[in-house]
Amino acid sequence: MAEPVNGFSKLTKNQKIEWLAKNHFINKEEGIKTLEQYWNKDAKLQALHDEFIENTISNFYLPLGIAPNFLINQKYHTIPMAIEESSVVAAAGKAAKYWQQRGGFKTKILGTEKIGQVHFMYHGDASKLKSFFTEVEPKLYKATETITENMRKRGGGISTIELRNKTSQLDNYYQLHCTFETLDAMGANFINSCLEAIAKTFSAEAHQNSLFSPEEKNIEIVMSILSNYVPNCVVKAEVSCKIEELNEDKNLNPQEFADKFVRAVAIANAEPHRAVTHNKGIMNGVDAVVLATGNDFRAIEAGAHAYASKSGSYKSLTHAEIKDGIFKFWIEIPLALGTVGGLTSLHPLVKLSLEILDKPSARALMQIIAVAGLAQNFAAVRSLITDGIQKGHMKMHLMNILNQLGATAEEKAYFVDFYKNKTITHSNVIKEFNDLKAKNV
Ligand code: MEV
């Protein structure tokens, strides 16, 4: 069991590792060696990574893959994806190729509004608060002028500040609901700095307001923070083609395939258990690009799932229909992203990923990431309604199993060929591997 430790963050990196090894590692030397194996030889680069967070002891690698051939609005894109799940990049590549031959992906930004809120408690007459807000509103914009100056020059800034009475949800609870345009920045720091300045002025002005009673003057600012629920920062991506252009897919003719596909999406719309997995498949594509481009995948996840529940029950983020002989499949997803600021100019692989994407604006990145999500969902649903998911998944997972077994390059090549037309299961690979080893002994 670990000993409690004081002032841990002040220790040197080596002291931290020593403490860790002493308290947690089964084999001290092995554990330290593993950590050190992942240090970058370039001390400057390692220092950069060390300083991203507190108490860095090593780097945690994820593969960075690329999926080429994404035809989006008639322009080709190569999409970088950082992800550990074996089949995701392969599925993206397949879906890209499939739709490349059928007109590609089309996208549209539906909105780019970001949101932040000052949450406060007010004990008193709501109509007095309303008149106070009307009077003080220009001062709230004024209080943020130095923060918003650069953003305003480029066409962004605070769009609206609205007083919202939330007392029906919670006694004495009100908020300043603010909307922002943050252009190419994700804008978290910008929004939070604006909100804190707004809150400070709002509270100070309330104290000086002669119409308020002493109790009313005493507005309590509980917190000022952006919201990751951004239902008006949304992008739509779609694919469509004539039914007859869909593949003969295994045992399904194009019409049967389209009908079954639409039914599968309808099931995800009707049934939350399926919707969660369906949307998880979408997020396989979304998160991989979000990570590769240095964006905040937790924010994207939280916002996407809240959006999926906006009707009151959790539903699919994608939709499918057949109309006048045309199969159409689309996604609408909120994506608050940045292509400047944050990690984008710091992490060398993030910089390179953005270069792979031709240095997109935040709007362009929203469209690319929505496509990555739609493509991933298409690939998953297509597999599910035809071969089943395991065939493709296990094909990609085979390498992981062989690596776990310590297979040589020769043995890996042998098993890739061996399983070309056979069903792969974990136990079956172990058995075949052991049989091969026994034969060779
Ligand atoms: C696995 O990571 C994702 C899927 O389960 C998605 C889905 O079921 O649609 C295959």
Side-chain angles (χ1 to χ4, degrees):
M1 209 171 62
E3 292 163 9
V5 53
N6 285 326
F8 187 74
S9 66
K10 307 252 163 24
L11 300 181
T12 65
K13 188 168 169 181
N14 282 338
Q15 286 169 328
K16 285 172 190 165
I17 291 172
E18 266 304 312
W19 179 90
L20 188 65
K22 182 168 159 253
N23 282 278
H24 292 283
F25 290 168
I26 296 166
N27 181 327
K28 208 174 145 179
E29 281 72 37
E30 276 293 310
I32 294 176
K33 201 172 127 203
T34 302
L35 290 179
E36 288 178 355
Q37 247 173 11
Y38 285 89
W39 286 0
N40 202 290
K41 284 184 211 75
D42 176 344
K44 236 174 112 187
L45 189 62
Q46 186 53 53
L48 177 77
H49 282 74
D50 286 353
E51 285 166 14
F52 283 150
I53 59 166
E54 192 166 87
N55 298 340
T56 307
I57 49 169
S58 190
N59 307 305
F60 193 94
Y61 288 2
L62 277 183
L64 176 68
I66 50 161
N69 300 324
F70 269 95
L71 183 60
I72 307 175
N73 302 332
Q74 297 310 313
K75 200 177 149 226
Y76 277 101
H77 294 266
T78 299
I79 302 188
M81 304 177 92
I83 188 148
E84 86 300 346
E85 191 173 326
S86 335
S87 51
V88 171
V89 179
K94 261 195 200 161
K97 209 140 186 225
Y98 187 97
W99 286 106
Q100 175 198 3
Q101 292 149 9
R102 291 163 180 81
F105 295 82
K106 294 180 187 68
T107 59
K108 195 172 166 199
I109 299 284
L110 303 182
T112 57
E113 177 192 275
K114 312 272 171 68
I115 293 169
Q117 297 167 320
V118 176
H119 305 270
F120 67 94
M121 308 315 256
Y122 166 77
H123 300 260
D125 182 343
S127 64
K128 273 195 203 166
L129 182 66
K130 213 169 151 195
S131 351
F132 165 68
F133 171 72
T134 311
E135 191 189 307
V136 84
E137 191 185 356
K139 292 187 182 164
L140 303 181
Y141 285 96
K142 189 122 192 68
T144 59
E145 261 175 6
T146 50
I147 307 168
T148 59
E149 192 181 351
N150 283 337
M151 195 67 93
R152 277 185 289 117
K153 270 187 205 149
R154 286 180 275 130
I158 304 173
S159 313
T160 59
I161 306 177
E162 190 192 325
L163 172 69
R164 288 191 175 176
N165 184 334
K166 307 293 281 183
T167 52
S168 60
Q169 277 106 317
L170 180 68
D171 285 348
N172 310 312
Y173 170 38
Y174 295 80
Q175 55 181 228
L176 298 177
H177 181 94
C178 310
T179 61
F180 300 83
E181 172 52 62
T182 61
L183 306 169
D184 284 339
M186 193 263 188
N189 283 329
F190 171 77
I191 293 173
N192 290 335
S193 300
C194 288
L195 293 171
E196 287 183 7
I198 288 170
K200 206 167 150 198
T201 302
F202 190 68
S203 159
E205 289 289 328
H207 270 98
Q208 285 166 27
N209 185 21
S210 57
L211 295 178
F212 279 163
S213 69
E215 202 188 10
E216 287 168 335
K217 279 184 182 179
N218 220 3
I219 280 173
E220 184 202 1
I221 306 288
V222 180
M223 57 193 156
S224 308
I225 186 75
L226 95 167
S227 171
N228 291 123
Y229 182 43
V230 280
N232 297 319
C233 185
V234 174
V235 53
K236 180 177 177 183
E238 70 169 62
V239 285
S240 64
C241 69
K242 287 187 189 142
I243 302 269
E244 59 265 29
E245 286 167 8
L246 292 166
N247 257 8
E248 284 286 339
D249 230 310
K250 320 294 169 200
N251 299 323
L252 302 175
N253 69 36
Q255 183 68 51
E256 287 166 340
F257 174 81
D259 287 340
K260 201 171 178 189
F261 196 103
V262 169
R263 269 197 298 281
V265 177
I267 288 171
N269 251 319
E271 157 56 37
H273 283 89
R274 173 57 201 149
V276 171
T277 317
H278 180 94
N279 288 345
K280 187 273 180 188
I282 294 171
M283 300 317 280
N284 276 344
V286 169
D287 283 344
V289 194
V290 167
L291 251 170
T293 56
N295 277 283
D296 180 344
F297 61 91
R298 288 84 57 208
I300 296 300
E301 283 278 342
H305 297 299
Y307 192 74
S309 321
K310 69 181 190 303
S311 65
S313 63
Y314 189 90
K315 287 178 179 294
S316 165
L317 288 163
T318 55
H319 312 273
E321 66 171 27
I322 300 168
K323 216 167 152 188
D324 304 327
I326 305 283
F327 169 80
K328 188 169 135 187
F329 178 49
W330 72 101
I331 186 169
E332 267 184 40
I333 184 168
L335 291 170
L337 299 166
T339 54
V340 297
L343 275 196
T344 56
S345 55
L346 273 182
H347 196 301
L349 282 175
V350 167
K351 275 204 264 183
L352 208 61
S353 292
L354 290 168
E355 207 173 303
I356 293 170
L357 290 170
D358 299 330
K359 301 206 169 148
S361 63
R363 290 170 70 93
L365 188 59
M366 282 171 81
Q367 297 172 66
I368 291 163
I369 292 183
V371 164
L374 185 70
Q376 202 58 223
N377 190 224
F378 178 78
V381 174
R382 184 181 178 204
S383 292
L384 286 167
I385 64 169
T386 54
D387 285 333
I389 206 73
Q390 282 310 85
K391 190 176 171 198
H393 188 82
M394 289 309 285
K395 195 171 150 206
M396 295 307 299
H397 191 56
L398 175 63
M399 219 32 91
N400 289 343
I401 306 174
L402 291 171
N403 279 330
Q404 272 166 18
L405 293 169
T408 62
E410 250 181 358
E411 287 162 346
K412 285 179 195 169
Y414 169 81
F415 279 109
V416 167
D417 188 57
F418 178 84
Y419 278 111
K420 231 177 202 163
N421 298 310
K422 292 191 185 73
T423 304
I424 305 169
T425 67
H426 198 270
S427 54
N428 176 267
V429 176
I430 295 175
K431 183 185 170 302
E432 292 294 342
F433 183 80
N434 289 337
D435 285 356
L436 183 77
K437 283 278 186 213
K439 255 192 249 159
N440 289 347
V441 165

